[in-house]
Amino acid sequence: RAVPSPVSAGEAVIVTYALSEAGRPVLSADGAEVLQGRRGKRGKLRWDAPPGTYELTIAALDLAGNVGPPSTPSVVVVQP
């Protein structure tokens, strides 16, 4: 779940997540990985995104290096 859109420039996009099993969360914007979080089942990711409109998804990276299916996309607008 991403912060409500729009986000003002200089504010971080905050994404909360809950994984079905412990893994490393992988945040993608428009299909490209933008960051990975710490290993665990729940948490928040903070992304300092440049202005623009992004379709964000989260997937889980397990201990073996396998990436699970992405979440349902959330659209976030970062205003200039």
Side-chain angles (χ1 to χ4, degrees):
R1 185 173 73 103
V3 294
S5 199
V7 175
S8 297
E11 291 183 338
V13 175
I14 306 295
V15 180
T16 58
Y17 65 90
L19 307 176
S20 59
E21 58 185 62
R24 183 178 297 275
V26 179
L27 178 66
S28 295
D30 299 330
E33 182 180 317
V34 292
L35 66 92
Q36 291 186 12
R38 291 185 169 171
R39 197 165 301 284
K41 288 184 76 171
R42 297 177 184 274
K44 292 182 181 181
L45 297 175
R46 183 181 192 281
W47 179 41
D48 295 318
T53 300
Y54 303 96
E55 187 174 88
L56 301 181
T57 57
I58 290 248
L61 178 66
D62 69 15
L63 291 173
N66 303 309
V67 179
S71 64
T72 301
S74 294
V75 175
V76 173
V77 176
V78 179
Q79 296 178 333

